[in-house]
Amino acid sequence: IHIQKTTTMAARKAFAGIFGLSFFHHCVFGITVKDFVKMRCSTNSSVETVMSWEGSVYAFWDQSQQDQLFTLTGMNIARCFQDETGMWYFTSRELMYYIDPLTGLPQSQWTNPYTNETTAVMHVANNPVQGPFGYSDDEMPSGTTITGLVSLISDINLFYPNPLYGNDSYIPYAPYEMYEGGEYFKYFTSQNALNDQNTDSVTSDTFFTWERTSQWLPWMAMGDQQGYLLYSCTGGAVDGINSLPSYMVTDITERLPLYEHAPDCLLDMADETSWTYFQHHFDAFLSNDEFPVPAPVETFPCSVIPVESV
């Protein structure tokens, strides 16, 4: 988990929202930006961190029983680095697959149970997801310790212009003027691991939860029908690309080699989202192509480069 926001998604993920678990007995623990860099990636900019998550997507209708539509498997490959001023940046690429709960495999076609229309399933392929985190000693708004764990919680409510609005071609898919949704993150790591000043990363001791609400995805072709989606996932770091599910490894190796590595810098381009990806690959969607579409290795211009490269 972009369009016309005052800060980047990555910065919002790091700083925005309500922090702390009020329903636990807890004590305040001062988490700095450098601490969060260790939790999310590494202070060594040559190190790439692969995070993976699993969960489900549910459909919510007013006064109706919720429906599980898909299970999910996702990955993000990330790098953190500093520029010449000491500002920390996060840059990454990510994939997420909508899985048939019965077969456990990615779906290429989906018959919408509410409209009976069959559409191509547009899996997530976001290049990039990135932004500034802050300076090393900047304090995060809050942190808590719970039985030896440090927690960092960020609730991010989103309301911004829908990039598909105003184009008649997209009316059957996303006719609304504003995107409405939210992303809700909870990171947990060992306080003892984070206190170790000699380590570059504590991702092996970190796990997270991610919840997301949004309007119907454009490729679901729900038009202006009321209702929304809820994503509920948990995840953590894995050893590398080869630790991901076999179908994902095959896809990355054979069709999506761009996602084998994180960018080397902050790319000079906007974050990709499911809505902009739909816009960029609308013709492929109409042709029922396989998603994600092929992503060969490419070179993209940088807007910020690591200090080691300056």
Side-chain angles (χ1 to χ4, degrees):
I1 205 118
H2 290 302
I3 301 297
Q4 296 186 20
K5 301 187 296 296
T6 56
T7 60
T8 64
M9 175 59 75
R12 285 180 178 235
K13 289 176 181 178
F15 292 103
I18 301 170
F19 290 76
L21 289 169
S22 59
F23 46 87
F24 284 100
H25 175 72
H26 62 266
C27 59
V28 173
F29 178 87
I31 293 180
T32 66
V33 165
K34 188 174 182 179
D35 290 331
F36 186 65
V37 168
K38 291 182 178 182
M39 293 170 68
R40 185 57 188 83
C41 38
S42 172
T43 58
N44 182 345
S45 64
S46 68
V47 173
E48 297 175 310
T49 299
V50 179
M51 292 277 191
S52 181
W53 59 92
E54 295 181 339
S56 294
V57 183
Y58 301 95
F60 278 66
W61 297 85
D62 187 40
Q63 293 296 294
S64 297
Q65 179 64 50
Q66 300 86 353
D67 297 315
Q68 183 190 37
L69 299 182
F70 312 100
T71 58
L72 297 169
T73 300
M75 64 79 73
N76 175 285
I77 185 163
R79 183 189 317 278
C80 290
F81 67 88
Q82 288 178 290
D83 68 8
E84 69 277 5
T85 72
M87 172 71 75
W88 281 103
Y89 289 88
F90 168 88
T91 185
S92 72
R93 297 181 171 107
E94 65 187 21
L95 299 169
M96 187 171 70
Y97 290 75
Y98 295 98
I99 308 299
D100 184 331
L102 298 179
T103 67
L105 295 173
Q107 293 192 237
S108 59
Q109 301 283 309
W110 179 63
T111 300
N112 187 320
Y114 311 117
T115 66
N116 290 320
E117 181 178 353
T118 298
T119 68
V121 175
M122 189 173 279
H123 302 293
V124 173
N126 290 340
N127 170 51
V129 178
Q130 59 181 13
F133 274 176
Y135 294 96
S136 289
D137 294 331
D138 290 348
E139 289 195 4
M140 309 302 282
S142 179
T144 63
T145 57
I146 307 164
T147 61
L149 293 178
V150 176
S151 65
L152 180 65
I153 300 179
S154 178
D155 292 347
I156 310 160
N157 295 308
L158 300 171
F159 186 71
Y160 56 83
N162 168 21
L164 305 179
Y165 180 72
N167 185 324
D168 289 349
S169 297
Y170 301 135
I171 288 176
Y173 309 102
Y176 38 84
E177 183 175 359
M178 303 297 291
Y179 174 86
E180 300 176 64
E183 303 208 22
Y184 308 97
F185 295 85
K186 303 172 182 68
Y187 290 92
F188 303 89
T189 198
S190 161
Q191 182 176 0
N192 288 336
L194 198 58
N195 287 344
D196 183 356
Q197 299 301 307
N198 296 317
T199 186
D200 296 331
S201 174
V202 296
T203 55
S204 61
D205 294 287
T206 300
F207 62 96
F208 66 90
T209 67
W210 170 58
E211 286 77 39
R212 174 179 185 255
T213 63
S214 79
Q215 289 137 314
W216 308 115
L217 293 161
W219 58 261
M220 296 173 71
M222 292 288 279
D224 60 0
Q225 294 195 54
Q226 298 301 304
Y228 66 95
L229 299 174
L230 172 68
Y231 294 58
S232 179
C233 301
T234 59
V238 296
D239 289 338
I241 296 296
N242 289 330
S243 297
L244 298 170
S246 59
Y247 59 79
M248 195 178 292
V249 175
T250 299
D251 236 7
I252 292 171
T253 302
E254 297 181 0
R255 301 178 60 252
L256 310 167
L258 179 66
Y259 290 83
E260 289 189 49
H261 295 286
D264 293 324
C265 62
L266 196 78
L267 300 183
D268 189 17
M269 55 195 295
D271 282 11
E272 189 81 282
T273 73
S274 294
W275 274 249
T276 60
Y277 191 78
F278 184 84
Q279 182 182 45
H280 297 154
H281 300 289
F282 184 54
D283 289 342
F285 170 77
L286 295 178
S287 298
N288 285 312
D289 288 358
E290 181 181 0
F291 286 94
V293 297
V297 175
E298 293 184 60
T299 300
F300 300 93
C302 297
S303 63
V304 181
I305 60 176
V307 65
E308 297 91 336
S309 303
V310 175

